[in-house]
Amino acid sequence: MNSTWSGIVTAKWVALFIAWMFVLTGFVVVAPSVAGDLTKADIERRFKPPLHVGEKLKDIAAWPLTSELTPQGGPVGYVFESIDLAPIPGFEGTPFNLLIALGADGKFIDVEVLRQHEPVFLGGLGPVPLLEFVKQYANKSLKQEISVSSVYGSTRGGGGGNRVVLDGVAKATASVRIVNQTVLAASLAVARAKLGFADSGSRGPPAVPKAGAFEALDLAALEQRGYLQRVRFTNADIEKLFAGTDGAGADEEALLKPDELFVEFYVAYLNAPIIGRNLLDVSSWNKLKAYLPEGQSAYWVATRGRFGLVDENFVPGTPPPRLVLMQSGLPIELRDSNRDYARTVPLPELKTALILGSPAQAGLDPGQPMEFQFTITRAKGMILPSITHKTVTVGYAAPTALFDFPPRPPPEWLLAWQGRWPDLAIIGTALALLTLVLLRPQWIVMRPRRLLLFRTGFLIFTLVYIGWYAQGQLSIVQITGAIKSVGAGGGLKSFLYDPISLLLIVFTLLTLVVWGRGTFCGWLCPFGALQELVALLARALRIPQWRMPVTLATLLSRSRYMVLALLVGSAAIMPAAAEKLVEVEPFKTAITVGFQREWPFLLWAVGLLVAGLFVYKFFCRFICPLGAALTLGGKLRRWNWLPRIEACGKPCQKCRHACEYDAIARDGAIRYDECFQCLDCVEIYEDPGRCAPKLLYARKGRTVPIRELRLPSGNSR
Ligand code: SF4
Ligand code: SF4
């Protein structure tokens, strides 16, 4: 087969392959999203009397738990599947499913793993460390700030105060951070809907009112400084609100006196002394201060005119039925404090005035804007009247100068980055050094020993530091996981929890365009490095090497695309099978868990390394699906950056014979799909003693004719 024909066949083959990948991706995209599937009977098997499981709720996917011990007390907790409320994809692209039991007081009763597809917990470490991890939630409270230790497997800095730090899992810290996000997000959804907690964790700790100096202010000054909000509605305003409903025209007085006052609302934050002491007299203010539990916010809410906050049936100490407090789109508990008080500031005659409190656990942040929503009701008709409700909203934002704002806790993914900054700095420096070497390889190849030392040293760093220590082995699972996650609408956020892998992925994607797949495969893949070190050992032990005929090697190298197609296809159509098939990659065995696995996996990984003793980088060249995927990505490369002269291949074959990857074609062109960027050919090229054509040109005093480096458009050879 001549090279032109072979090129056409390869291009067609690759195009077909890519089309096939897209078809499979389509399957993934239309795949139904996952959901919980437990029944009430499944829950009852787990929670025995005195607990009882109620019917699954209609408004949120949760089962209420009641107790024989508190028959009148309502639910003592809720049980739910996390996948229904917080389907956050893991690294394999599928969300965890956890059964969470949350007490009515916000304490976790239990967290159980129902389903998980995380590669490290399927094989590798096995499921036990994950089961142990979730046990730590029992008796922790959702009102606490729960995060995962940045240090592998141990709690650093402990918790303390309102902070709880769970022990991470060595070699799986990123995965358990996603578990923690899942537990918290699902539980907060239930807490908001059923327990009256708001998600203070997303905004940080609530603002704390400053002590502040007192200054006597009248109503106008309180209003002008934004301490007190006053909003007025006339009869005509309210009539307009009911226009087009059954309530239109139902209020005769409104029709008769449209310009007269219907209601004037007053809202003020009492905890701030400059507001509280101006609105209440000294004795009432002191009593209120003494009464307020820590973290509780108190508001003075009053009305003037025809509308009252409560009617004659109102029970003091309960939430006023005509008022809802909203913050960040969430309803927040607000109830009458049932306190008598005297006012300081003179006001017109009021219809109703209450001091309302919001308990600390309700999650109200007094430093953030909020809305007081008042419900106005009209009835039309005497018998079976038609009732219409309308809401008017009074926004309130106490001035920020009244508060201290505690620092916000960083999000879980940022904690992951902070915890790994030394590793990121070291690996980042190594990547910068590698970039310099590949940009200007001359200084490293000018002495063969220098290249050998640098390359061997870098490969040892890749294997030991990036691979075994920092757990930075990229894998085909990350590609199939990303496709699945995007297809299911889960996005790629899970990558944020694994900063080392993300750094390597970004660097690999950038270098695919600049230098091709060889930057990762030749320098940054821990298992690739291990194979290369094994090959060095074989050379030192003088183990005979079998160098296949190039045609056979080229043919066999196609098999890695088949493996890739099989994996991507099964990930889309048969996910359970894909979880087994990915074990074709020995990365988990050799790198993630450092050969501590069951014997079939050990046999496979060690067998591949033994094969590598006789056939140079056997796994990389003939099996690796990740290498195949990167080769396809490497088609984006825009330069033929390895130096070539016209005499390469015509007639000189020296580099071709030296390249152990068979990455140089007979005509001297580099086959970048196969090139691992070992720089051996650059070393020959730069050494006039080994590159005979350059020596000849030099002797004749002629300039060496260099081959064009920029690729012709459309050619990604
Ligand atoms: S071919 Fe596979 S194992 Fe080899 S270096 Fe590339 S990714 Fe690593
Ligand atoms: S010797 Fe082969 S693998 Fe190494 S850089 Fe040259 S072409 Fe690439």
Side-chain angles (χ1 to χ4, degrees), residues 253-566:
E253 194 174 340
L255 297 176
L256 287 172
K257 302 171 187 166
D259 296 329
E260 286 199 2
L261 179 69
F262 177 77
V263 63
E264 189 166 65
F265 293 107
Y266 297 81
V267 175
Y269 175 60
L270 287 179
N271 299 53
I274 199 162
I275 307 175
R277 274 195 61 194
N278 271 305
L279 279 173
L280 310 184
D281 70 355
V282 178
S283 152
S284 303
W285 159 250
N286 285 336
K287 278 190 205 156
L288 179 72
K289 255 196 346 181
Y291 153 82
L292 277 182
E294 194 184 333
Q296 173 154 328
S297 299
Y299 290 85
W300 181 70
V301 183
T303 64
R304 189 169 76 83
R306 299 172 55 209
F307 177 81
L309 282 173
V310 294
D311 59 19
E312 62 281 2
N313 298 321
F314 177 66
V315 179
T318 62
R322 295 176 182 170
L323 169 59
V324 175
L325 175 59
M326 301 288 291
Q327 191 171 53
S328 304
L330 301 170
I332 291 178
E333 183 185 333
L334 195 62
R335 61 174 61 221
D336 173 38
S337 67
N338 195 16
R339 299 195 65 74
D340 292 329
Y341 66 94
R343 254 191 356 254
T344 308
V345 75
L347 285 170
E349 190 185 342
L350 298 173
K351 172 101 174 166
T352 44
L354 297 172
I355 292 179
L356 302 172
S358 179
Q361 67 267 30
L364 178 73
D365 185 344
Q368 302 294 328
M370 61 195 75
E371 288 180 347
F372 290 81
Q373 296 182 348
F374 300 91
T375 303
I376 300 170
T377 305
R378 280 187 177 181
K380 194 168 195 175
M382 298 296 285
I383 305 163
L384 294 177
S386 161
I387 307 289
T388 309
H389 302 288
K390 285 286 169 188
T391 302
V392 291
T393 298
V394 177
Y396 183 73
T400 52
L402 297 177
F403 298 98
D404 288 321
F405 291 88
R408 292 172 179 218
E412 190 75 36
W413 67 265
L414 189 56
L415 287 173
W417 284 75
Q418 287 171 348
R420 304 215 61 186
W421 74 262
D423 299 336
L424 288 166
I426 291 170
I427 295 173
T429 308
L431 297 182
L433 180 64
L434 178 62
T435 305
L436 280 179
V437 167
L438 294 179
L439 280 174
R440 289 274 174 273
Q442 293 77 8
W443 67 273
I444 207 95
V445 299
M446 88 182 26
R447 294 215 175 83
R449 199 173 154 67
R450 192 182 286 178
L451 176 61
L452 180 69
L453 278 179
F454 177 76
R455 186 158 168 75
T456 310
F458 202 99
L459 292 178
I460 292 173
F461 169 81
T462 296
L463 173 64
V464 177
Y465 195 87
I466 297 184
W468 282 332
Y469 169 72
Q471 296 287 298
Q473 171 74 66
L474 301 192
S475 156
I476 192 65
V477 178
Q478 283 158 319
I479 296 180
T480 53
I483 295 172
K484 276 171 83 174
S485 177
V486 170
L492 298 176
K493 207 176 165 198
S494 59
F495 284 94
L496 279 179
Y497 294 86
D498 186 358
I500 302 293
S501 294
L502 188 57
L503 175 65
L504 290 168
I505 289 169
V506 170
F507 185 79
T508 301
L509 290 176
L510 290 175
T511 54
L512 274 181
V513 181
V514 182
W515 293 306
R517 56 83 64 121
T519 312
F520 176 78
C521 285
W523 296 90
L524 295 170
C525 173
F527 191 73
L530 179 58
Q531 287 175 92
E532 199 148 334
L533 295 171
V534 163
L536 277 179
L537 180 72
R539 209 172 295 159
L541 297 176
R542 297 184 191 286
I543 295 175
Q545 297 290 296
W546 182 41
R547 191 155 176 182
M548 288 181 206
V550 176
T551 331
L552 178 61
T554 309
L555 198 67
L556 283 182
S557 72
R558 304 278 192 262
S559 55
R560 56 204 171 109
Y561 296 106
M562 299 297 173
V563 178
L564 174 62
L566 191 67

Side-chain angles (χ1 to χ4, degrees), residues 196-239:
F197 306 160
D199 182 2
S200 61
S202 66
R203 295 188 307 265
V208 180
K210 287 180 183 167
F214 176 68
E215 180 188 350
L217 300 172
D218 62 12
L219 179 65
L222 284 169
E223 202 179 338
Q224 195 233 329
R225 293 193 190 184
Y227 296 155
L228 180 139
Q229 176 71 282
R230 184 161 63 108
V231 180
R232 182 186 157 86
F233 294 91
T234 62
N235 285 326
D237 295 329
I238 302 302
E239 187 58 43

Side-chain angles (χ1 to χ4, degrees), residues 22 92 114 117 128 141 186 200 202 226 243 308 340 362 369 379 468 470 486 518 522 686:
F22 275 111
E92 187 270 348
L114 293 174
H117 301 262
V128 175
S141 173
S200 61
S202 66
D340 292 329
W468 282 332
V486 170
E686 294 292 341

Side-chain angles (χ1 to χ4, degrees), residues 642 655 658-664 670-671 674-682:
L642 289 166
C655 293
C659 177
E660 296 190 85
Y661 296 90
D662 296 323
I664 302 180
I670 305 284
R671 296 163 62 221
E674 310 300 326
C675 171
F676 276 55
Q677 298 172 17
C678 67
L679 301 180
D680 284 350
C681 59
V682 184

